[in-house]
């Protein structure tokens, strides 16, 4: 009897933890700024549901559920592969929220004499200026003293990138506007902008 | 290679004879066929096959170990309240050149701690690897070259 | 014997759920999609696979254990493939790395544009 209680307890704890994980993953599906983020989260959902099925199998004693879990894994794998093909053929939409702001805002920041957000093998991006300086800091773009102190004062901590972006937006409110708009949009759930070429899916087979 | 084919054929024959086509019976038949082939090893194949079986088994063991390690490492990294990641993509020059070896290496790299293979160059000479901690790509390259790549070369050459 | 099996099952379930939870936490905390892929493809896979094994151990039947191990290997072998494919597709269609990234030695025409 006590063996049964141990198993049931573990199953209950597992169900609770999996439910929390499920909600967190759904949150990422809703929020995830780009399409690949959502696809990863959906892939993860399949894994979580497999865990659910396994726990239900233990709870009810129907080991036939294993087959269901395996076939669900197969379907999930195929779905992810299909999504990857879709991402490859669709290309990235203009204005889709990526981690760094793209296009116009990048040019705007570059024109303002700040560091460009484009990642090059040597240049380090701006948000790390406040952090402990890494060894291989290459030719860093000039960063004005006041800006640097502001950044260090802002205690860039866990979400370094996001916080730094917000600080940058707050420090220069009168900036060209594009960058500020992009950085605020980055912290909000994305809404699909009305892009000119929306209905056309570019068919580019490499 | 021929020994392996014989091994599989013997296993299938075993399943056909015993008349229960379950996975377990197939594995059992494979096991028996391995023993049978091992007994007659002097007449066919030579010792190379058996050394290679050992290497493949050690590769499998390494695979399981690295999988557990990488999951634990990622979990620790996630639970750490101060997340200091320096992600980046570095290029890894391949020594292995056969397709299935590259595929295996890419899979193994994905399952090592903190690395994830992203792409292979069209000429199959370079593997692009995304690493969570890319502050020292030289060390990461050396780890892969001396760990998995050497094991794969030993197992398949 | 029963209690040993129950303990093993419980340990596998708890370890699996901790890994899954870590994966989802990583999914929400990591800065960019490539880092998130690390969390989902490693910790998540191991978590679900451990639970599959837990079913086999709990059933205490060799046939079911073999089937759950087959599921385990299937899942563990397909996860890196899908992660790799997704990363390649995302990088090729120009989704950028996060600001924290220190280097990118892979350049696609689409990513540079």
């Amino acid at each position: 009897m006590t063996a049964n209680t141990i198993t049931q307890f573990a199953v209950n704890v597992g169900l609770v933890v999996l439910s929390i994980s499920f909600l967190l993953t759904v949150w990422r599906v809703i929020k995830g700024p780009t399409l690949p983020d959502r696809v990863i989260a959906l892939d993860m959902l399949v894994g979580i549901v497999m865990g659910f099925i396994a726990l239900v199998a233990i709870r009810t004693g129907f080991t036939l559920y294993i087959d269901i879990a395996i076939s669900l894994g197969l379907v999930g794998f195929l779905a992810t592969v299909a999504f990857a093909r879709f991402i490859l053929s669709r290309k990235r939409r203009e204005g889709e929220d990526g981690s760094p702001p793209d296009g116009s805002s990048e040019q705007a920041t570059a024109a303002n004499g700040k560091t460009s957000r484009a990642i090059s093998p040597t240049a380090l991006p701006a948000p790390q200026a406040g952090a402990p300086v890494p060894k291989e800091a290459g030719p860093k773009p000039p960063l004005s003293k006041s800006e640097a102190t502001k950044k260090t004062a802002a205690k860039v901590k866990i979400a370094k990138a996001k916080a730094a972006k917000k600080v940058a937006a707050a420090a220069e409110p009168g900036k060209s506007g594009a960058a500020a708009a992009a950085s605020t949009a980055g912290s909000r759930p994305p809404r699909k902008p009305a892009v000119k070429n929306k209905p056309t899916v570019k068919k580019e087979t490499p | 290679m021929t020994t392996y084919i014989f091994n599989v054929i013997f296993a299938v024959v075993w399943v056909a004879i015993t008349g229960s086509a379950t996975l377990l019976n197939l594995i059992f038949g494979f096991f028996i066929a391995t023993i049978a082939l091992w007994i007659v090893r002097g007449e066919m194949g030579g010792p190379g096959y058996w050394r290679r079986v050992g290497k493949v088994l050690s590769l499998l063991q390494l695979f399981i170990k690295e999988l557990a390690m990488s999951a634990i490492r990622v979990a620790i990294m996630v639970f750490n309240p101060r997340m200091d990641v320096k992600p980046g993509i570095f290029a890894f020059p391949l020594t292995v050149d056969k397709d299935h070896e590259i595929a295996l290496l890419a899979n193994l790299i994905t399952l090592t701690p903190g690395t994830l293979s992203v792409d292979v160059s069209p000429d199959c000479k370079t593997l692009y690897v995304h690493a969570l901690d890319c502050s020292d790509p030289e060390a990461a390259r050396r780890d892969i070259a001396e760990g998995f790549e050497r094991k794969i070369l030993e197992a398949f050459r | 014997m029963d209690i040993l099996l129950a303990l093993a099952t419980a340990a596998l379930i708890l370890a699996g759920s901790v890994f899954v939870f870590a994966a989802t936490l990583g999914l929400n905390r990591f800065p960019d999609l490539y880092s998130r892929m690390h969390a989902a493809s490693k910790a998540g896979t191991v978590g679900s696979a451990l639970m599959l094994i837990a079913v086999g151990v709990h059933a205490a039947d060799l046939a079911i254990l073999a089937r759950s191990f087959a599921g385990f290997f299937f899942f563990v072998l397909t996860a890196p493939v899908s992660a790799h494919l997704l990363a390649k597709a995302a990088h090729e269609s120009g989704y950028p790395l996060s600001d924290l990234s220190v280097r990118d030695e892979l350049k696609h025409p689409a990513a540079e544009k």
Side-chain angles (χ1 to χ4, degrees):
Chain A
M1 203 59 232
T2 148
N4 200 20
T5 22
I6 291 173
T7 317
Q8 289 303 324
F9 174 74
V11 167
N12 285 337
V13 171
L15 283 175
V16 169
V17 173
L18 279 187
S19 306
I20 297 170
S21 310
F22 195 87
L23 289 179
L24 281 174
T25 314
V26 168
W27 170 244
R28 173 53 72 189
V29 175
I30 296 168
K31 183 167 152 257
T34 62
L35 177 67
D37 281 314
R38 295 196 172 89
V39 176
I40 298 166
L42 286 174
D43 193 31
M44 188 66 215
L45 276 188
V46 171
I48 293 174
V49 170
M50 277 176 73
F52 267 122
I53 292 175
L55 289 186
V56 168
I58 292 174
R59 205 188 166 106
T60 60
F62 287 120
T63 46
L64 201 64
Y65 277 119
I66 291 183
D67 296 347
I68 299 174
I70 291 175
S71 36
L72 181 68
L74 177 62
V75 170
F77 172 63
L78 288 181
T80 311
V81 170
F83 264 122
R85 295 296 303 173
F86 173 65
I87 290 168
L88 202 56
S89 72
R90 195 191 73 148
K91 300 294 169 197
R92 183 169 173 237
R93 291 258 174 81
E94 279 302 316
E96 191 174 19
D97 289 336
S99 305
D102 61 326
S104 57
S105 61
E106 192 176 301
Q107 275 147 25
T109 48
N112 272 15
K114 273 196 64 192
T115 165
S116 154
R117 288 220 169 82
I119 300 155
S120 65
T122 48
L124 277 163
Q128 282 200 335
V133 185
K135 291 116 247 162
E136 49 169 34
K140 213 182 288 183
L143 197 66
S144 73
K145 202 83 179 186
S146 64
E147 249 179 29
T149 47
K150 261 177 211 163
K151 262 176 198 152
T152 36
K155 294 260 197 309
V156 187
K157 264 194 180 161
I158 304 163
K160 276 187 216 158
K162 209 167 238 178
K165 251 185 237 166
K166 270 178 202 154
V167 168
E172 299 124 338
K175 219 167 77 174
S176 58
S183 56
T184 47
S187 61
R188 217 181 291 149
R191 72 205 141 67
K192 290 270 175 289
V195 193
K196 296 120 260 173
N197 54 355
K198 198 181 176 188
T200 56
V201 175
K202 262 182 267 174
K203 273 275 190 180
E204 283 181 31
T205 43
Chain B
M1 199 63 209
T2 48
T3 323
Y4 179 71
I5 292 170
F6 268 112
N7 210 338
V8 172
I9 290 174
F10 282 6
V12 171
V13 168
W14 169 267
V15 168
I17 288 176
T18 52
S20 72
T22 60
L23 178 70
L24 195 66
N25 201 22
L26 186 69
I27 293 171
F28 185 56
F30 194 84
F31 184 65
I32 289 181
T34 311
I35 291 176
L37 284 171
W38 184 72
I39 289 172
V40 297
R41 67 189 177 283
E43 277 70 30
M44 55 181 296
Y49 177 70
W50 302 104
R51 210 178 48 235
R52 204 180 290 175
V53 166
K55 297 283 190 216
V56 169
L57 282 183
S58 91
L59 191 67
L60 191 72
Q61 186 202 343
L62 184 74
F63 174 81
I64 299 283
K65 200 190 85 192
E66 290 289 339
L67 179 62
M69 282 295 298
S70 73
I72 292 170
R73 275 273 295 276
V74 169
I76 289 173
M77 205 177 274
V78 168
F79 285 129
N80 190 1
R82 258 188 52 85
M83 179 171 291
D84 49 346
V85 290
K86 291 193 191 70
I89 294 180
F90 66 88
F92 174 74
L94 285 169
T95 319
V96 294
D97 49 5
K98 296 208 184 68
D99 275 354
H100 68 273
E101 288 170 358
I102 294 173
L104 186 62
L105 181 66
N107 257 6
L108 288 176
I109 283 173
T110 300
L111 291 170
T112 35
T115 53
L116 181 125
S117 53
V118 174
D119 204 353
V120 183
S121 64
D123 58 352
C124 288
K125 287 267 163 48
T126 318
L127 190 66
Y128 296 98
V129 180
H130 183 267
L132 271 184
D133 183 12
C134 203
S135 52
D136 190 4
E138 283 305 325
R141 275 190 206 116
R142 210 173 43 239
D143 280 353
I144 294 171
E146 287 173 7
F148 285 130
E149 202 169 32
R150 199 167 50 82
K151 285 257 181 195
I152 287 176
L153 284 177
E154 279 174 2
F156 290 103
R157 292 287 163 82
Chain C
M1 190 59 204
D2 258 8
I3 202 143
L4 226 64
L5 272 184
L7 279 177
T9 314
L12 282 172
I13 291 172
L14 293 182
S17 48
V18 165
F19 275 130
V20 169
F21 185 67
T24 48
L25 213 58
L27 214 56
N28 279 283
R29 286 192 62 194
F30 277 137
D32 67 346
L33 77 107
Y34 302 97
S35 316
R36 282 174 199 143
M37 236 167 259
H38 283 273
S41 73
K42 286 171 201 159
T45 308
V46 170
S48 307
L50 281 182
M51 288 190 186
L52 272 186
I53 290 185
V55 181
V57 170
H58 177 70
D61 184 352
L62 210 55
I64 292 166
L65 188 64
R67 217 185 315 156
S68 73
F69 263 97
F72 170 84
F73 275 107
F74 169 77
F75 198 53
V76 162
L77 289 182
T78 53
V81 176
S82 62
H84 160 72
L85 200 57
L86 208 53
K88 179 177 151 69
H91 200 282
E92 217 159 275
S93 45
Y95 290 96
L97 277 75
S98 83
D99 285 353
L100 295 174
S101 303
V102 289
R103 62 175 57 230
D104 184 3
E105 294 178 2
L106 171 63
K107 286 284 176 205
H108 282 297
E112 277 175 343
K113 81 177 154 121

